[in-house]
Amino acid sequence: MEYVLETDQLGKRYGGRWAVRDCTLRLPAGRVAALVGPNGAGKSTLLHMAVGLLRPDAGAVRVLGRAPYGDTELLSDIGFVAQDTPLYRDFTAAELVTMGGKLNRRWDAALARTRLAQLGLPPDRPVGKLSGGQRAQVALALALAKRPSLLLLDEPVASLDPLARREFLQALMGSVAETGATVLLSSHILADLERTCDYVVVLSASQVRLAGPTDELATSHRQLIGPRHDGGPIGGVAAVVRASHTDRQSTLLVRTDGPITDPMWTVREPSLEDTILAYLTEGDTRASHSEWGVAA
Amino acid sequence: MIEFVLDGRSKVNTYVQLVQQVKQALRVGMLTPGDQLPKVRDVARSLAINPNTVLKAYRELELEGLVEGRPGVGTFVKATLASAPMSDQAELRGDLVAWVHRARDAGLTPDDVTALVQTTIRASYPRQEEHA
């Protein structure tokens, strides 16, 4: 299998704090992958290292087998839409398309113009005067005009209203079908991911908690409900991801390595969202009640 | 040409929903051999879903011998699922209406009837149940 993006014990430190640490993952070609995690988990840092904007402090990142930092030739193969789609706001969309042609070695201006025309965007208005959804579409069209093998998007839909979000995802999925580009997009809107992404990377507290194809995650995780469990082994369970208990009942989200046949447990298939949330909670470090000086 | 519609509240996998919709269209005669299915790119765009999901659905339909992909052209219907002619179905429907009326008169609620029908289907079509 060919990997478009590989990281190996990748790390980035800001001062004394690790923004990304021990990050090892392999993203196969042709996937649409979601990079999920709370704010501050290191998603943007990871994407910036992949696009060569940041130099790793530990380990390695490779895109198409090469280290992106300082490799300008490789950059023509990577499309990047940064958070809040920063564009030169006084330029019109048509001017940005022309500018892209001068700055990039491979540039499909006709593709960008066709896409923007299909969306009915005005070519002659400064992009700073467009709506957030329209600006996001311009940024996507510019990124796609490079005809990249890898497309990285940092929170592309976070600030969009529901209609603009849907239109953006429609444009993205349509172009993925046309170009076969591999996509890694960070998001914390889990509801969109189940349909758009076929691969998930969960990042929490600067580390990768989970990475894999979504259909495998669905078959390899189960929710168990049963009488209070003391932590002993359960047949078919490889690991307990998250557990909550009352005095009588235990509710577990588990990773399985076989069928769970013990009739004591009610077994359910969790949604992708439930599974991701369980891994996010696992990496969560909260302040205790005592730190606030109140009773638990 | 059919247009795919997803049930947002359904727990059924997206690709299974696409497969089911094609089969339903084949059953009622909305699709017949030779018809083209929507292009993968168009389905991905209009539903904002991953194109691999559409490919998976079309592959499954191909494996079942219902459609065939012609490289560079598209995916076309090859077989039909319309089994019994409509006239037979009218007769069956008449029988069913009479039976449902008897059930109602016997005091069964709609839920009782559904449960009874489902257990009967399960007993009569043992293998299809696994697939559904």
Side-chain angles (χ1 to χ4, degrees), chain B residues 86-103:
Chain B
M86 277 307 188
S87 55
D88 288 3
Q89 285 190 20
E91 197 185 318
L92 286 168
R93 185 183 151 82
D95 291 351
L96 184 60
V97 169
W99 180 84
V100 169
H101 287 175
R102 286 214 330 268

Side-chain angles (χ1 to χ4, degrees), chain B residues 66-77:
Chain B
L66 297 172
V67 305
E68 65 179 341
R70 295 180 205 153
V73 191
T75 306
F76 294 84
V77 175

Side-chain angles (χ1 to χ4, degrees), chain A residues 30-32 166 169-170 173-178 195-198 215 271, chain B residues 6-8 11 14 40-41 44-53 56:
Chain A
R31 294 286 187 173
V32 180
R166 181 169 172 86
L169 292 174
Q170 286 177 321
M173 289 302 112
S175 47
V176 166
E178 272 162 37
R195 283 187 182 166
T196 52
C197 297
D198 51 26
D215 47 3
S271 68
Chain B
L6 291 179
D7 180 353
K11 284 273 168 204
T14 306
V40 171
R41 177 191 58 202
R45 176 173 296 135
S46 68
L47 298 177
I49 60 172
N50 191 314
N52 292 330
T53 307
K56 191 171 172 183

Side-chain angles (χ1 to χ4, degrees), chain A residues 11-281:
Chain A
K12 179 72 196 172
R13 196 174 46 200
Y14 296 122
R17 195 182 73 85
W18 287 93
V20 171
R21 190 197 237 164
D22 266 338
C23 170
T24 298
L25 60 95
R26 311 253 175 280
L27 180 59
R31 294 286 187 173
V32 180
L35 180 59
V36 186
N39 292 329
K43 303 192 295 289
S44 294
T45 303
L46 176 59
L47 291 174
H48 281 90
M49 283 191 282
V51 76
L53 287 170
L54 284 175
R55 190 208 297 261
D57 289 321
V61 54
R62 278 182 302 279
V63 173
L64 304 164
R66 295 156 63 168
Y69 189 80
D71 186 340
T72 47
E73 200 179 315
L74 175 62
L75 286 186
S76 66
D77 256 329
I78 309 175
F80 181 50
V81 178
Q83 204 160 1
D84 299 325
T85 58
L87 298 168
Y88 294 102
R89 300 175 75 88
D90 295 332
F91 282 54
T92 67
E95 286 165 347
L96 287 171
V97 172
T98 307
M99 188 171 87
K102 307 228 183 275
L103 295 177
N104 288 278
R105 147 187 346 219
R106 186 173 59 212
W107 188 255
D108 193 337
L111 176 86
R113 291 200 186 98
T114 309
R115 297 182 56 81
L116 295 171
Q118 277 169 353
L119 294 159
L121 286 173
D124 50 2
R125 198 180 304 165
V127 291
K129 296 223 172 5
L130 300 178
S131 71
Q134 289 176 320
R135 230 175 2 255
Q137 293 282 12
V138 173
L140 177 63
L142 293 173
L144 288 167
K146 293 173 77 177
R147 294 208 164 274
S149 308
L150 174 64
L151 183 60
L152 302 168
L153 306 117
D154 194 0
E155 296 284 0
V157 295
S159 59
L160 304 184
D161 64 67
L163 180 61
R165 202 164 84 207
R166 181 169 172 86
E167 284 174 349
F168 185 90
L169 292 174
Q170 286 177 321
L172 180 63
M173 289 302 112
S175 47
V176 166
E178 272 162 37
T179 63
T182 307
V183 178
L184 178 62
L185 70 99
S186 73
S187 182
H188 44 224
I189 303 174
L190 298 179
D192 291 336
L193 303 181
E194 194 135 20
R195 283 187 182 166
T196 52
C197 297
D198 51 26
Y199 202 89
V200 175
V201 178
V202 176
L203 206 60
S204 171
S206 78
Q207 292 192 305
V208 175
R209 304 283 157 183
L210 173 73
T214 50
D215 47 3
E216 272 177 33
L217 299 184
T219 52
S220 63
H221 289 83
R222 289 290 178 271
Q223 188 178 47
L224 306 185
I225 301 155
R228 193 180 163 94
H229 178 61
D230 57 4
I234 305 167
V237 170
V240 175
V241 180
R242 182 182 169 194
S244 66
H245 308 280
T246 68
D247 54 344
R248 304 239 170 122
Q249 184 191 317
S250 285
T251 308
L252 312 176
L253 196 129
V254 302
R255 191 160 48 78
T256 59
D257 55 10
I260 294 160
T261 48
D262 189 335
M264 188 170 88
W265 295 102
T266 304
V267 181
R268 289 193 191 146
E269 193 174 312
S271 68
L272 181 63
E273 197 170 335
D274 291 337
T275 305
I276 291 173
L277 284 172
Y279 279 91
L280 287 177
T281 318

Side-chain angles (χ1 to χ4, degrees), chain B:
Chain B
M1 187 77 75
I2 58 165
E3 186 188 7
F4 287 107
V5 181
L6 291 179
D7 180 353
R9 291 190 302 177
S10 168
K11 284 273 168 204
V12 177
N13 224 308
T14 306
Y15 94 92
V16 178
Q17 287 193 42
L18 300 181
V19 168
Q20 285 174 345
Q21 200 182 328
V22 170
K23 287 188 176 171
Q24 182 61 17
L26 289 169
R27 248 176 237 122
V28 300
M30 227 156 68
L31 281 175
T32 52
D35 286 346
Q36 185 173 5
L37 294 184
K39 284 196 161 47
V40 171
R41 177 191 58 202
D42 296 338
V43 181
R45 176 173 296 135
S46 68
L47 298 177
I49 60 172
N50 191 314
N52 292 330
T53 307
V54 188
L55 284 171
K56 191 171 172 183
Y58 284 10
R59 233 180 356 248
E60 167 128 354
L61 289 163
E62 201 166 347
L63 278 176
E64 293 188 37
L66 297 172
V67 305
E68 65 179 341
R70 295 180 205 153
V73 191
T75 306
F76 294 84
V77 175
K78 205 169 86 177
T80 178
L81 279 175
S83 45
M86 277 307 188
S87 55
D88 288 3
Q89 285 190 20
E91 197 185 318
L92 286 168
R93 185 183 151 82
D95 291 351
L96 184 60
V97 169
W99 180 84
V100 169
H101 287 175
R102 286 214 330 268
R104 187 191 57 199
D105 295 345
L108 269 66
T109 67
D111 283 348
D112 294 337
V113 171
T114 308
L116 194 53
V117 169
Q118 271 173 359
T119 51
T120 313
I121 289 175
R122 226 170 286 150
S124 313
Y125 296 90
R127 269 188 306 151
Q128 294 202 352
E129 177 62 22
E130 287 167 29
H131 199 75

